[in-house]
Amino acid sequence: MAKNTKKALTLKTLNKSNVWDVQENDIFRMWDAAEKDADLADNARHYTDIVKSAFDVEVITVDKPEVIKKYEARGCKVGQVRLDESTKVKWAIKKKPILRVTDLTYENINHISAVKLIEVLERNFGSGWESLSQSIRDIIESGFDISTTTLPKDRLKKKGGMYEKKIADGFEVLEIPKGTWVEAIFAKEKPEMEKPHFKVEEEQPEEKKFLGDEDEEDDEDLPEMDDRYDDDDDDDDQFDEDRLTEESYRTTFEDADDLDLEAADVADDDDY
């Protein structure tokens, strides 16, 4: 999705939602443009907190070419920012990846596409949509229309059924095999006017080492950015196919048309 903003962003208009629209070079450009503002020093910490909500930020304390190259090899952009009239620091910044469902927030959910959402869900899924916590589902549904259905795999794509209708309506789909059954999760971005706006919490997570620390980093032993994406945390719940009978068909519907389509799929069939 990566929606384009209507007006060029500045540090003063940057917030914890639209910051997801910009890239590393944009941060340095905006900061450079703000250096002429007299109130930069008073608001530097506020701007920094906003940037850090969407980017990993590290202060480079050993400014040597070989150190810079190591940061760049990790995908960081390196640049200098002025925090006040007498303090300039060099930053290595990198956009935080959205890899796991736990990376999704009310601030970034409207800045990813349905294709990206399906990729995140596919990477994290265990037993299906219901395996997600309610809080994660609420975040996803604040930016996307979601529908699900579970059917025998030879009936899922039946002509004229829900699957065909959703694809025709522009939904992306994730299919989760469950033995001889399949759960299909359909996702489509909500129109901008339907997306609720949520107040951004001001409380910030505990900061990493930043300004004022005395210890310097050794250029041969750079700090590692947190690896928050250990696959060992994936949900490995097993699916019990025996529990699925015709009576346990489960589908979420958005409208009466969906209900009619799925009723036609399961009616008058004693084979399942």
Side-chain angles (χ1 to χ4, degrees):
M1 180 159 42
K3 300 176 179 60
N4 295 323
T5 51
K6 295 181 180 179
K7 295 182 180 180
L9 291 172
T10 67
L11 280 186
K12 288 184 177 181
T13 60
L14 204 63
N15 58 50
K16 289 184 180 180
S17 177
N18 63 27
V19 69
W20 288 93
D21 282 325
V22 304
Q23 302 303 319
E24 293 87 351
N25 287 335
D26 297 320
I27 297 297
F28 290 121
R29 175 185 55 77
M30 288 187 288
W31 207 287
D32 182 65
E35 286 192 1
K36 60 179 68 73
D37 294 340
D39 62 349
L40 175 62
D42 293 335
N43 295 293
R45 176 59 63 182
H46 170 68
Y47 299 148
T48 299
D49 288 342
I50 291 175
V51 171
K52 290 174 70 177
S53 71
F55 294 83
D56 288 315
V57 179
E58 295 190 38
V59 177
I60 297 179
T61 57
V62 180
D63 191 1
K64 295 181 179 179
E66 59 269 26
V67 175
I68 303 301
K69 288 181 179 179
K70 288 184 178 180
Y71 279 107
E72 291 175 341
R74 288 159 50 185
C76 299
K77 297 293 183 182
V78 176
Q80 186 170 265
V81 297
R82 180 172 67 83
L83 301 178
D84 55 44
E85 292 183 358
S86 60
T87 305
K88 287 188 175 183
V89 297
K90 186 161 285 189
W91 278 356
I93 65 176
K94 182 179 180 181
K95 192 76 166 282
K96 292 180 179 179
I98 301 175
L99 299 177
R100 300 178 66 86
V101 292
T102 50
D103 296 327
L104 299 172
T105 67
Y106 284 115
E107 288 71 45
N108 66 29
I109 192 64
N110 292 326
H111 301 274
I112 64 172
S113 66
V115 172
K116 175 64 175 179
L117 175 64
I118 292 299
E119 290 176 357
V120 173
L121 294 178
E122 185 173 20
R123 184 180 296 113
N124 290 267
F125 259 42
S127 57
W129 177 251
E130 297 297 329
S131 70
L132 294 175
S133 68
Q134 185 61 55
S135 60
I136 293 297
R137 280 183 277 162
D138 288 345
I139 289 172
I140 293 172
E141 290 178 323
S142 73
F144 294 86
D145 288 324
I146 300 293
S147 300
T148 68
T149 186
T150 302
L151 291 168
K153 61 184 177 182
D154 58 351
R155 295 182 59 81
L156 178 65
K157 301 178 183 179
K158 181 180 177 181
K159 185 173 179 59
M162 182 179 181
Y163 191 103
E164 184 179 89
K165 178 178 181 291
K166 290 297 183 184
I167 296 301
D169 285 346
F171 282 76
E172 296 294 329
V173 61
L174 172 63
E175 298 177 28
I176 306 173
K178 299 183 173 184
T180 60
W181 293 62
V182 176
E183 177 176 356
I185 298 151
F186 305 93
K188 182 180 180 181
E189 299 163 36
K190 286 184 176 179
E192 193 67 32
M193 66 182 65
E194 292 185 14
K195 295 175 180 177
H197 297 283
F198 296 88
K199 181 179 179 181
V200 176
E201 296 294 336
E202 293 298 327
E203 184 177 352
Q204 300 297 318
E206 184 177 353
E207 296 181 352
K208 300 178 183 178
K209 173 183 176 183
F210 199 67
L211 300 180
D213 266 327
E214 299 294 333
D215 297 331
E216 291 189 348
E217 302 166 358
D218 191 293
D219 59 326
E220 295 300 323
D221 187 19
L222 288 175
E224 293 294 332
M225 290 186 178
D226 293 341
D227 181 7
R228 296 163 292 169
Y229 316 112
D230 189 348
D231 288 337
D232 291 342
D233 292 337
D234 288 345
D235 187 351
D236 293 323
D237 290 345
Q238 297 299 312
F239 176 75
D240 185 357
E241 184 179 350
D242 292 338
R243 295 175 59 189
L244 277 176
T245 67
E246 182 175 343
E247 296 179 356
S248 66
Y249 279 87
R250 176 187 51 75
T251 303
T252 60
F253 301 102
E254 293 178 334
D255 50 47
D257 290 340
D258 288 345
L259 183 59
D260 292 341
L261 286 169
E262 283 307 307
D265 271 354
V266 300
D268 301 324
D269 192 335
D270 296 328
D271 293 337
Y272 300 97

